[in-house]
Amino acid sequence: TMQPTSQPTPGPTSQPTPRPTSAPSREPTQFPTTPPVPEPTIRPTTAPTLEPTPQPSPGPTISPSAAPLPDPTLSPTRAPLQVTDSPALTPSETSLNDLQEYLSSISTHDNGEALENDWSPQYLAMEWLHADPSFEEYSLFQRMQRYVLATVFYSTRGALWTDSSRWLSSADECFWFTGLPDDQQPCDSEGRLTNLDLRSNNLMGEIPPELHLLQDLVRIHMPDNDLSGTLPSSLKNLGKVQRLQLTRNRLGGTIPSLTGMSTLTVLGLGRNWLTGTLPADIGGLTKLNTLGVERNRLSGTIPASLSSITTLSNLNLDHNFFSGTLAADWYDYPLDLEKISLNDNNFTGTVPPVFCGIIDAFISADCDEIECACCTECCYGGEDCVAV
C-alpha cells in the first residue's frame, strides 16, 4: 500500500509482495532480489515528472541553488551567502562578547565605554566586523584595522559619502576607496594602513578617537569636508604621522596637546571653528614645517615655545583673535620662515626686525594697527589687503 516517493527511504521489509515501482513514465525492467533501495526511485534520466526539491541529495538533476549545503571550498565557519555591504550576522567561533572584550582592551582612550551603546558608531562597527564571513580568517591586527575603519565610516555617515566604493565589503581594506593619487598606496607591503585620505568626500560627523589605534599612519588627509566635533586628544599617540590635514571643516573646541606626534611636519587646521589658545607645548613639535590655524576663533598670545621650532617655514595665523606685542613676544623666532600671515588679529607693536631680515619672505599684517616696515602685504580692516 506504500507508494514510492522522492524521499530516498528504503521500502518496507515486512511486506514482500508489493513490487517497488519506478517513475510513472517507465516500467521497471528489473526487480531487485533484495528489499527496495533508493536508486530505482531517483534515476536522473527516468523521472521526467518529478520536480527537484530542496531535499539535500547527490542527484545531478537537482539545481545547485536549491541545495542548502555550504560550498565545500569554503571553511566550515563561512556561510554560503553572497557578500554584501551589510552582511547578516552569522555564527562564528568567536562570539560577539569575545570580540567586544578584545576591542575594549585596546580602546585605552575610553576602555570600551562606547561599545556599551548599541547605537554608537563603535558598536555598529564591531557588529559589522563580527558578521564578516571571513572574520575567523583575520589576524588580530586585521580585525583591529577593519574595526577602526568601519568606525570612521559610521562616525562620518559613510552612506552619504561622495565615494564609498568597497568600504564595508569583503574586499581587503587596503583596496577600499581612497583619495590618494593613483601612484600612491594606502597600505605598506604588510597590509598596514599608512595613508588615510578622504579629502573632499562629504564626510559629516566626528573624527573617532579610535583612529589612534592605527599606529602605522603617516598621513591623515581629510580636508574640504563637513567634519564637526572636537579634535580627539588621542591623536597625540600617533607618533609616525607626518601630515595632519583637516583644513576647511567645522571642527570646534580647543586644540589638544599633540606633542606625541613627534614626526609631524604639516599641521593644517585652518578654516574651522576652533577656539581657545595654541597649546603651550606646541614647541614640542620640533619637526614642524607648516602651521596653519588661519580663519578660526583662536585667541590669547602666541606661546613662547613656538620660537624653538627651527624647521618652521610657513606660519598662518591670520583671521583669529590673537593678541600680544609682537616685538616683545617674537624676538627669537627662526630665520627660515618663508610665509608669515598675521593679519586680522589683535596684535600690537612692531613686526620684529628679525622678520625683516628674512630675504624673500611673504609677510602679511594689519598695517593700520602695527608697524611693519618690511611687510609684503598690508591689510586694512581684515579683508582689504594690498601688496606693498
Short mmCIF file of all heavy atoms in Angstrom, two decimals, residues 85-143:
data_model
loop_
_atom_site.label_atom_id
_atom_site.label_comp_id
_atom_site.label_asym_id
_atom_site.label_seq_id
_atom_site.Cartn_x
_atom_site.Cartn_y
_atom_site.Cartn_z
N ASP A 85 27.35 44.71 1.21
CA ASP A 85 27.92 45.77 2.03
C ASP A 85 27.46 45.67 3.48
O ASP A 85 28.06 46.24 4.36
CB ASP A 85 27.54 47.13 1.45
CG ASP A 85 28.34 47.44 0.21
OD1 ASP A 85 29.31 46.71 -0.08
OD2 ASP A 85 28.00 48.42 -0.46
N SER A 86 26.38 44.99 3.73
CA SER A 86 25.88 44.84 5.09
C SER A 86 25.52 43.38 5.33
O SER A 86 24.35 43.00 5.32
CB SER A 86 24.65 45.73 5.32
OG SER A 86 24.98 47.07 5.14
N PRO A 87 26.53 42.52 5.51
CA PRO A 87 26.25 41.09 5.68
C PRO A 87 25.48 40.81 6.95
O PRO A 87 25.62 41.49 7.95
CB PRO A 87 27.66 40.48 5.75
CG PRO A 87 28.54 41.59 6.21
CD PRO A 87 27.94 42.84 5.63
N ALA A 88 24.61 39.80 6.88
CA ALA A 88 23.85 39.43 8.06
C ALA A 88 24.77 38.76 9.08
O ALA A 88 25.77 38.16 8.73
CB ALA A 88 22.72 38.48 7.67
N LEU A 89 24.40 38.90 10.33
CA LEU A 89 25.20 38.30 11.39
C LEU A 89 25.14 36.78 11.28
O LEU A 89 24.08 36.19 11.16
CB LEU A 89 24.66 38.74 12.75
CG LEU A 89 25.51 38.39 13.97
CD1 LEU A 89 26.85 39.10 13.87
CD2 LEU A 89 24.79 38.79 15.24
N THR A 90 26.26 36.13 11.25
CA THR A 90 26.34 34.69 11.12
C THR A 90 27.11 34.11 12.28
O THR A 90 27.93 34.78 12.90
CB THR A 90 27.04 34.30 9.81
OG1 THR A 90 28.32 34.93 9.76
CG2 THR A 90 26.22 34.75 8.60
N PRO A 91 26.87 32.84 12.60
CA PRO A 91 27.59 32.23 13.71
C PRO A 91 29.08 32.24 13.48
O PRO A 91 29.56 32.18 12.36
CB PRO A 91 27.03 30.79 13.73
CG PRO A 91 25.72 30.89 13.02
CD PRO A 91 25.89 31.95 11.99
N SER A 92 29.82 32.31 14.52
CA SER A 92 31.28 32.37 14.42
C SER A 92 31.87 31.73 15.66
O SER A 92 31.25 31.68 16.71
CB SER A 92 31.71 33.84 14.31
OG SER A 92 33.08 33.98 14.55
N GLU A 93 33.06 31.23 15.51
CA GLU A 93 33.72 30.62 16.65
C GLU A 93 33.98 31.65 17.75
O GLU A 93 33.97 31.34 18.92
CB GLU A 93 35.03 29.98 16.21
CG GLU A 93 34.84 28.76 15.30
CD GLU A 93 36.15 28.16 14.89
OE1 GLU A 93 37.20 28.66 15.36
OE2 GLU A 93 36.15 27.20 14.10
N THR A 94 34.27 32.89 17.35
CA THR A 94 34.48 33.97 18.30
C THR A 94 33.16 34.68 18.52
O THR A 94 32.58 35.23 17.59
CB THR A 94 35.52 34.98 17.77
OG1 THR A 94 36.74 34.30 17.46
CG2 THR A 94 35.78 36.07 18.79
N SER A 95 32.64 34.66 19.72
CA SER A 95 31.35 35.29 19.99
C SER A 95 31.48 36.80 19.95
O SER A 95 32.58 37.36 20.03
CB SER A 95 30.83 34.85 21.36
OG SER A 95 31.62 35.44 22.39
N LEU A 96 30.34 37.46 19.82
CA LEU A 96 30.33 38.92 19.81
C LEU A 96 30.85 39.46 21.14
O LEU A 96 31.56 40.47 21.17
CB LEU A 96 28.91 39.43 19.55
CG LEU A 96 28.76 40.93 19.28
CD1 LEU A 96 29.50 41.34 18.02
CD2 LEU A 96 27.28 41.31 19.16
N ASN A 97 30.56 38.79 22.22
CA ASN A 97 31.07 39.22 23.53
C ASN A 97 32.58 39.09 23.60
O ASN A 97 33.27 39.94 24.20
CB ASN A 97 30.43 38.40 24.64
CG ASN A 97 28.97 38.78 24.88
OD1 ASN A 97 28.55 39.89 24.55
ND2 ASN A 97 28.20 37.87 25.44
N ASP A 98 33.13 38.04 22.99
CA ASP A 98 34.58 37.87 22.96
C ASP A 98 35.22 39.02 22.19
O ASP A 98 36.25 39.57 22.60
CB ASP A 98 34.95 36.54 22.30
CG ASP A 98 34.56 35.34 23.15
OD1 ASP A 98 34.41 35.51 24.37
OD2 ASP A 98 34.40 34.24 22.58
N LEU A 99 34.62 39.35 21.04
CA LEU A 99 35.16 40.44 20.23
C LEU A 99 35.07 41.77 20.99
O LEU A 99 36.01 42.58 20.96
CB LEU A 99 34.40 40.53 18.91
CG LEU A 99 34.83 41.65 17.95
CD1 LEU A 99 36.30 41.53 17.59
CD2 LEU A 99 33.96 41.66 16.71
N GLN A 100 33.96 42.00 21.66
CA GLN A 100 33.80 43.24 22.43
C GLN A 100 34.85 43.33 23.53
O GLN A 100 35.40 44.40 23.78
CB GLN A 100 32.40 43.32 23.01
CG GLN A 100 32.15 44.60 23.80
CD GLN A 100 30.68 44.75 24.20
OE1 GLN A 100 29.82 44.04 23.71
NE2 GLN A 100 30.42 45.69 25.08
N GLU A 101 35.12 42.21 24.17
CA GLU A 101 36.13 42.21 25.23
C GLU A 101 37.51 42.56 24.67
O GLU A 101 38.26 43.33 25.28
CB GLU A 101 36.17 40.84 25.90
CG GLU A 101 37.14 40.75 27.08
CD GLU A 101 37.10 39.40 27.77
OE1 GLU A 101 36.18 38.60 27.48
OE2 GLU A 101 37.98 39.13 28.60
N TYR A 102 37.83 42.01 23.50
CA TYR A 102 39.12 42.32 22.87
C TYR A 102 39.21 43.80 22.48
O TYR A 102 40.20 44.48 22.78
CB TYR A 102 39.32 41.44 21.64
CG TYR A 102 40.41 41.94 20.73
CD1 TYR A 102 41.75 41.95 21.13
CD2 TYR A 102 40.10 42.44 19.47
CE1 TYR A 102 42.75 42.43 20.31
CE2 TYR A 102 41.10 42.92 18.63
CZ TYR A 102 42.42 42.92 19.05
OH TYR A 102 43.41 43.40 18.23
N LEU A 103 38.17 44.32 21.82
CA LEU A 103 38.19 45.71 21.37
C LEU A 103 38.22 46.67 22.56
O LEU A 103 38.87 47.72 22.50
CB LEU A 103 36.99 45.99 20.49
CG LEU A 103 36.95 45.24 19.15
CD1 LEU A 103 35.66 45.53 18.39
CD2 LEU A 103 38.15 45.59 18.29
N SER A 104 37.55 46.31 23.63
CA SER A 104 37.58 47.15 24.83
C SER A 104 38.98 47.20 25.43
O SER A 104 39.43 48.24 25.93
CB SER A 104 36.59 46.62 25.88
OG SER A 104 35.27 46.70 25.42
N SER A 105 39.69 46.09 25.34
CA SER A 105 41.04 46.02 25.93
C SER A 105 42.04 46.90 25.19
O SER A 105 43.01 47.36 25.78
CB SER A 105 41.53 44.58 25.94
OG SER A 105 41.81 44.11 24.63
N ILE A 106 41.80 47.16 23.90
CA ILE A 106 42.74 48.00 23.14
C ILE A 106 42.25 49.45 23.05
O ILE A 106 42.99 50.31 22.59
CB ILE A 106 42.98 47.44 21.74
CG1 ILE A 106 41.68 47.42 20.92
CG2 ILE A 106 43.59 46.04 21.81
CD1 ILE A 106 41.88 46.96 19.48
N SER A 107 41.02 49.71 23.48
CA SER A 107 40.47 51.07 23.43
C SER A 107 40.86 51.81 24.71
O SER A 107 40.02 52.07 25.58
CB SER A 107 38.95 51.01 23.26
OG SER A 107 38.59 50.34 22.08
N THR A 108 42.12 52.16 24.80
CA THR A 108 42.63 52.77 26.02
C THR A 108 42.08 54.17 26.27
O THR A 108 42.14 54.67 27.39
CB THR A 108 44.17 52.84 25.96
OG1 THR A 108 44.55 53.53 24.76
CG2 THR A 108 44.77 51.44 25.93
N HIS A 109 41.52 54.80 25.24
CA HIS A 109 41.00 56.16 25.41
C HIS A 109 39.71 56.19 26.22
O HIS A 109 39.40 57.19 26.86
CB HIS A 109 40.77 56.80 24.04
CG HIS A 109 39.87 56.00 23.15
ND1 HIS A 109 40.34 54.91 22.45
CD2 HIS A 109 38.55 56.10 22.86
CE1 HIS A 109 39.34 54.38 21.76
NE2 HIS A 109 38.25 55.08 22.00
N ASP A 110 38.93 55.08 26.16
CA ASP A 110 37.69 55.05 26.94
C ASP A 110 37.40 53.68 27.55
O ASP A 110 36.33 53.47 28.12
CB ASP A 110 36.50 55.48 26.09
CG ASP A 110 36.13 54.44 25.03
OD1 ASP A 110 36.94 53.52 24.77
OD2 ASP A 110 35.04 54.56 24.45
N ASN A 111 38.37 52.75 27.43
CA ASN A 111 38.21 51.39 27.97
C ASN A 111 36.97 50.68 27.44
O ASN A 111 36.37 49.86 28.12
CB ASN A 111 38.17 51.44 29.51
CG ASN A 111 39.47 51.93 30.11
OD1 ASN A 111 40.55 51.56 29.66
ND2 ASN A 111 39.37 52.80 31.11
N GLY A 112 36.60 51.03 26.20
CA GLY A 112 35.49 50.34 25.55
C GLY A 112 34.11 50.85 25.93
O GLY A 112 33.11 50.20 25.65
N GLU A 113 34.05 52.02 26.55
CA GLU A 113 32.76 52.54 27.00
C GLU A 113 31.79 52.72 25.83
O GLU A 113 30.58 52.45 25.95
CB GLU A 113 32.95 53.86 27.73
CG GLU A 113 31.67 54.47 28.26
CD GLU A 113 31.90 55.76 29.03
OE1 GLU A 113 33.07 56.05 29.35
OE2 GLU A 113 30.92 56.47 29.31
N ALA A 114 32.30 53.20 24.70
CA ALA A 114 31.42 53.43 23.54
C ALA A 114 30.80 52.14 23.03
O ALA A 114 29.72 52.16 22.43
CB ALA A 114 32.21 54.11 22.42
N LEU A 115 31.45 51.02 23.27
CA LEU A 115 30.94 49.73 22.80
C LEU A 115 29.72 49.26 23.60
O LEU A 115 29.07 48.28 23.23
CB LEU A 115 32.04 48.67 22.86
CG LEU A 115 33.20 48.87 21.88
CD1 LEU A 115 34.35 47.94 22.22
CD2 LEU A 115 32.73 48.63 20.45
N GLU A 116 29.44 49.93 24.70
CA GLU A 116 28.27 49.57 25.51
C GLU A 116 26.99 50.16 24.94
O GLU A 116 25.89 49.76 25.33
CB GLU A 116 28.47 50.07 26.95
CG GLU A 116 29.69 49.51 27.65
CD GLU A 116 29.59 48.00 27.88
OE1 GLU A 116 28.44 47.50 27.97
OE2 GLU A 116 30.63 47.33 27.96
N ASN A 117 27.12 51.11 24.02
CA ASN A 117 25.95 51.76 23.41
C ASN A 117 25.64 51.08 22.08
O ASN A 117 26.42 51.15 21.14
CB ASN A 117 26.25 53.24 23.19
CG ASN A 117 25.08 53.98 22.55
OD1 ASN A 117 24.06 53.39 22.19
ND2 ASN A 117 25.23 55.29 22.40
N ASP A 118 24.48 50.43 22.00
CA ASP A 118 24.12 49.65 20.82
C ASP A 118 24.00 50.48 19.55
O ASP A 118 23.99 49.93 18.45
CB ASP A 118 22.80 48.91 21.04
CG ASP A 118 22.92 47.80 22.08
OD1 ASP A 118 24.05 47.59 22.57
OD2 ASP A 118 21.90 47.17 22.40
N TRP A 119 23.89 51.79 19.68
CA TRP A 119 23.72 52.64 18.51
C TRP A 119 24.96 53.47 18.20
O TRP A 119 24.94 54.31 17.31
CB TRP A 119 22.51 53.57 18.70
CG TRP A 119 21.23 52.81 18.77
CD1 TRP A 119 20.49 52.51 19.89
CD2 TRP A 119 20.53 52.20 17.68
NE1 TRP A 119 19.40 51.76 19.56
CE2 TRP A 119 19.38 51.57 18.21
CE3 TRP A 119 20.76 52.14 16.30
CZ2 TRP A 119 18.47 50.88 17.41
CZ3 TRP A 119 19.85 51.46 15.51
CH2 TRP A 119 18.72 50.83 16.05
N SER A 120 26.02 53.28 18.93
CA SER A 120 27.24 54.06 18.69
C SER A 120 27.93 53.57 17.42
O SER A 120 27.78 52.42 17.01
CB SER A 120 28.19 53.93 19.88
OG SER A 120 28.72 52.61 19.94
N PRO A 121 28.70 54.45 16.76
CA PRO A 121 29.47 54.01 15.60
C PRO A 121 30.39 52.84 15.93
O PRO A 121 30.62 51.95 15.10
CB PRO A 121 30.27 55.27 15.22
CG PRO A 121 29.46 56.41 15.74
CD PRO A 121 28.85 55.90 17.01
N GLN A 122 30.91 52.85 17.17
CA GLN A 122 31.83 51.78 17.57
C GLN A 122 31.11 50.44 17.65
O GLN A 122 31.63 49.42 17.19
CB GLN A 122 32.45 52.13 18.93
CG GLN A 122 33.42 53.29 18.90
CD GLN A 122 32.75 54.66 18.89
OE1 GLN A 122 31.52 54.77 18.98
NE2 GLN A 122 33.54 55.71 18.79
N TYR A 123 29.90 50.44 18.21
CA TYR A 123 29.17 49.18 18.32
C TYR A 123 28.75 48.68 16.94
O TYR A 123 28.84 47.48 16.64
CB TYR A 123 27.93 49.36 19.20
CG TYR A 123 27.22 48.05 19.50
CD1 TYR A 123 27.57 47.31 20.63
CD2 TYR A 123 26.24 47.54 18.65
CE1 TYR A 123 26.94 46.10 20.91
CE2 TYR A 123 25.61 46.34 18.92
CZ TYR A 123 25.97 45.62 20.06
OH TYR A 123 25.36 44.42 20.30
N LEU A 124 28.29 49.60 16.09
CA LEU A 124 27.90 49.21 14.73
C LEU A 124 29.08 48.63 13.97
O LEU A 124 28.94 47.66 13.22
CB LEU A 124 27.32 50.42 14.00
CG LEU A 124 26.00 50.98 14.54
CD1 LEU A 124 25.62 52.24 13.81
CD2 LEU A 124 24.89 49.94 14.45
N ALA A 125 30.25 49.23 14.17
CA ALA A 125 31.46 48.73 13.50
C ALA A 125 31.82 47.34 14.01
O ALA A 125 32.21 46.45 13.24
CB ALA A 125 32.62 49.70 13.73
N MET A 126 31.70 47.15 15.32
CA MET A 126 32.00 45.83 15.90
C MET A 126 31.03 44.78 15.37
O MET A 126 31.43 43.66 15.02
CB MET A 126 31.90 45.91 17.43
CG MET A 126 32.08 44.57 18.12
SD MET A 126 31.87 44.67 19.93
CE MET A 126 30.13 45.09 20.06
N GLU A 127 29.76 45.12 15.30
CA GLU A 127 28.75 44.17 14.83
C GLU A 127 28.99 43.82 13.37
O GLU A 127 28.87 42.66 12.96
CB GLU A 127 27.36 44.78 15.01
CG GLU A 127 26.23 43.77 14.87
CD GLU A 127 24.90 44.37 15.25
OE1 GLU A 127 24.63 45.52 14.84
OE2 GLU A 127 24.12 43.70 15.94
N TRP A 128 29.33 44.83 12.57
CA TRP A 128 29.64 44.57 11.16
C TRP A 128 30.85 43.64 11.03
O TRP A 128 30.84 42.69 10.23
CB TRP A 128 29.93 45.88 10.43
CG TRP A 128 30.56 45.64 9.09
CD1 TRP A 128 29.92 45.31 7.93
CD2 TRP A 128 31.96 45.65 8.79
NE1 TRP A 128 30.84 45.11 6.93
CE2 TRP A 128 32.10 45.32 7.43
CE3 TRP A 128 33.11 45.91 9.55
CZ2 TRP A 128 33.34 45.24 6.80
CZ3 TRP A 128 34.34 45.82 8.93
CH2 TRP A 128 34.45 45.50 7.57
N LEU A 129 31.89 43.91 11.81
CA LEU A 129 33.10 43.10 11.73
C LEU A 129 32.81 41.65 12.09
O LEU A 129 33.27 40.72 11.40
CB LEU A 129 34.16 43.67 12.68
CG LEU A 129 35.45 42.87 12.81
CD1 LEU A 129 36.18 42.78 11.47
CD2 LEU A 129 36.36 43.50 13.87
N HIS A 130 32.04 41.44 13.13
CA HIS A 130 31.74 40.07 13.57
C HIS A 130 30.91 39.32 12.53
O HIS A 130 30.99 38.10 12.43
CB HIS A 130 31.01 40.10 14.91
CG HIS A 130 30.85 38.76 15.53
ND1 HIS A 130 29.67 38.04 15.47
CD2 HIS A 130 31.72 37.96 16.21
CE1 HIS A 130 29.80 36.90 16.09
NE2 HIS A 130 31.04 36.81 16.56
N ALA A 131 30.11 40.06 11.75
CA ALA A 131 29.27 39.44 10.73
C ALA A 131 30.03 39.13 9.44
O ALA A 131 29.49 38.45 8.57
CB ALA A 131 28.09 40.35 10.42
N ASP A 132 31.23 39.63 9.31
CA ASP A 132 32.02 39.38 8.11
C ASP A 132 32.22 37.87 7.93
O ASP A 132 32.72 37.20 8.83
CB ASP A 132 33.37 40.08 8.24
CG ASP A 132 34.16 40.09 6.94
OD1 ASP A 132 34.04 39.12 6.17
OD2 ASP A 132 34.90 41.06 6.71
N PRO A 133 31.84 37.31 6.79
CA PRO A 133 32.00 35.86 6.58
C PRO A 133 33.44 35.38 6.73
O PRO A 133 33.67 34.21 7.01
CB PRO A 133 31.50 35.65 5.14
CG PRO A 133 30.57 36.79 4.90
CD PRO A 133 31.14 37.95 5.66
N SER A 134 34.40 36.27 6.54
CA SER A 134 35.81 35.88 6.64
C SER A 134 36.43 36.25 7.98
O SER A 134 37.64 36.21 8.15
CB SER A 134 36.62 36.54 5.51
OG SER A 134 36.12 36.15 4.25
N PHE A 135 35.59 36.63 8.93
CA PHE A 135 36.08 37.14 10.20
C PHE A 135 37.11 36.22 10.86
O PHE A 135 38.15 36.67 11.32
CB PHE A 135 34.91 37.37 11.16
CG PHE A 135 35.31 37.72 12.56
CD1 PHE A 135 35.78 38.98 12.87
CD2 PHE A 135 35.24 36.78 13.59
CE1 PHE A 135 36.16 39.31 14.16
CE2 PHE A 135 35.61 37.10 14.87
CZ PHE A 135 36.07 38.37 15.16
N GLU A 136 36.82 34.93 10.91
CA GLU A 136 37.71 33.99 11.62
C GLU A 136 39.07 33.86 10.94
O GLU A 136 40.03 33.40 11.55
CB GLU A 136 37.05 32.62 11.72
CG GLU A 136 35.85 32.57 12.66
CD GLU A 136 36.24 32.84 14.12
OE1 GLU A 136 37.42 32.64 14.47
OE2 GLU A 136 35.36 33.24 14.89
N GLU A 137 39.16 34.28 9.69
CA GLU A 137 40.43 34.18 8.97
C GLU A 137 41.35 35.37 9.23
O GLU A 137 42.53 35.32 8.93
CB GLU A 137 40.17 34.06 7.46
CG GLU A 137 39.33 32.85 7.08
CD GLU A 137 39.03 32.81 5.60
OE1 GLU A 137 39.62 33.63 4.85
OE2 GLU A 137 38.22 31.98 5.18
N TYR A 138 40.81 36.46 9.78
CA TYR A 138 41.60 37.66 10.00
C TYR A 138 42.50 37.51 11.22
O TYR A 138 42.11 36.92 12.23
CB TYR A 138 40.70 38.88 10.20
CG TYR A 138 39.80 39.21 9.03
CD1 TYR A 138 38.50 39.64 9.24
CD2 TYR A 138 40.26 39.09 7.72
CE1 TYR A 138 37.66 39.94 8.18
CE2 TYR A 138 39.43 39.39 6.66
CZ TYR A 138 38.14 39.81 6.88
OH TYR A 138 37.32 40.11 5.83
N SER A 139 43.68 38.07 11.12
CA SER A 139 44.54 38.15 12.29
C SER A 139 43.98 39.19 13.25
O SER A 139 43.10 39.99 12.89
CB SER A 139 45.96 38.56 11.87
OG SER A 139 45.95 39.88 11.34
N LEU A 140 44.48 39.21 14.48
CA LEU A 140 44.02 40.21 15.44
C LEU A 140 44.29 41.62 14.91
O LEU A 140 43.47 42.53 15.09
CB LEU A 140 44.71 40.01 16.79
CG LEU A 140 44.20 38.87 17.66
CD1 LEU A 140 45.00 38.80 18.95
CD2 LEU A 140 42.71 39.04 17.98
N PHE A 141 45.43 41.79 14.24
CA PHE A 141 45.75 43.12 13.72
C PHE A 141 44.73 43.54 12.66
O PHE A 141 44.24 44.67 12.67
CB PHE A 141 47.15 43.15 13.11
CG PHE A 141 47.47 44.46 12.45
CD1 PHE A 141 47.90 45.54 13.18
CD2 PHE A 141 47.28 44.62 11.08
CE1 PHE A 141 48.16 46.77 12.57
CE2 PHE A 141 47.52 45.84 10.46
CZ PHE A 141 47.96 46.91 11.22
N GLN A 142 44.40 42.63 11.75
CA GLN A 142 43.47 42.99 10.69
C GLN A 142 42.07 43.22 11.25
O GLN A 142 41.33 44.08 10.76
CB GLN A 142 43.43 41.92 9.60
CG GLN A 142 42.74 42.39 8.33
CD GLN A 142 42.89 41.42 7.19
OE1 GLN A 142 43.31 40.28 7.36
NE2 GLN A 142 42.54 41.87 5.99
N ARG A 143 41.69 42.48 12.27
CA ARG A 143 40.40 42.74 12.91
C ARG A 143 40.37 44.16 13.48
O ARG A 143 39.39 44.88 13.33
CB ARG A 143 40.15 41.73 14.03
CG ARG A 143 39.95 40.31 13.55
CD ARG A 143 39.72 39.35 14.71
NE ARG A 143 39.65 37.96 14.26
CZ ARG A 143 39.40 36.92 15.04
NH1 ARG A 143 39.17 37.12 16.34
NH2 ARG A 143 39.36 35.70 14.54
#
